[in-house]
Amino acid sequence: MNLKDHIRGIPDFPKPGILFYDVSPLLANGAAWKAAIDELAEAVRPHKPDLLVGIESRGFLVAAPLALALGIGFIMVRKHGKLPGDKIAHSYNLEYGTDTIEVQADAVKPGQRVVVLDDLLATGGTMVAAINLLRQVGADVRAAAFLVELTFLNGRDRIDVPSVSLMAYDS
């Protein structure tokens, strides 16, 4: 199955000049979504993760069903102020300003093997921040995985763990 047949390009979203790669049609097609999860399972399984980590918010859509398919746990990395309980935070630079992400303080035990997932890899900034946060709490970050990669933005070059994406776009 060609998964790209289930990705919709939306011009000028969220601002003029941007082509947004929408995964909604993939999620809405049961056969295509199952094929994507099966492909990700094959790519992630060799890293032997104890947990999968989803980055807010579309990363949750990828990591949660994949964790279920692999029979392992799932945890969330969220924007500041969205998680209850004790949290560990990590701030990082954006093109214009900063942002902060958090994980619950007890979500990962030191040394646990994790793979971090998001729906799309663009510049890599959020993934790098999530990896750094997870290392801060003692995780053994084994890999990163994505449904879609925008290769022309070179985000993969910033990530220091093996990375896999199911679909790549060169422009």
Side-chain angles (χ1 to χ4, degrees):
M1 177 179 297
N2 185 354
L3 296 176
K4 280 187 173 182
D5 291 342
H6 303 279
I7 303 297
R8 176 175 48 203
I10 300 178
D12 299 320
F13 183 83
K15 61 184 182 180
I18 301 292
L19 177 60
F20 183 82
Y21 291 93
D22 183 14
V23 300
S24 298
L26 177 70
L27 298 171
N29 182 299
W33 186 222
K34 182 177 183 335
I37 293 299
D38 289 347
E39 285 185 37
L40 280 172
E42 289 306 309
V44 167
R45 191 174 282 114
H47 298 287
K48 298 180 176 21
D50 300 308
L51 292 170
L52 295 185
V53 180
I55 298 174
E56 185 167 337
S57 66
R58 289 184 307 260
F60 301 167
L61 299 172
V62 180
L66 182 58
L68 185 62
L70 294 173
I72 60 176
F74 159 71
I75 64 167
M76 298 174 282
V77 166
R78 298 207 63 187
K79 294 176 183 174
H80 175 70
K82 300 287 186 178
L83 288 171
D86 292 334
K87 298 162 293 295
I88 307 295
H90 178 76
S91 295
Y92 62 103
N93 292 323
L94 300 168
E95 188 174 350
Y96 300 103
T98 62
D99 205 355
T100 301
I101 55 174
E102 298 176 330
V103 66
Q104 289 175 315
D106 61 354
V108 179
K109 294 178 181 63
Q112 277 191 303
R113 298 178 306 268
V114 303
V115 172
V116 191
L117 292 104
D118 208 351
D119 69 319
L120 185 133
L121 172 59
T123 64
T126 303
M127 179 57 71
V128 169
I131 290 169
N132 289 336
L133 171 61
L134 291 160
R135 287 178 174 152
Q136 184 180 332
V137 297
D140 176 4
V141 182
R142 294 292 179 99
F146 310 89
L147 292 173
V148 174
E149 179 176 355
L150 306 180
T151 57
F152 60 95
L153 294 175
N154 301 313
R156 182 181 292 258
D157 296 345
R158 297 181 63 194
I159 300 170
D160 66 356
V161 296
S163 299
V164 63
S165 54
L166 297 187
M167 295 164 273
Y169 291 89
D170 298 327
S171 61

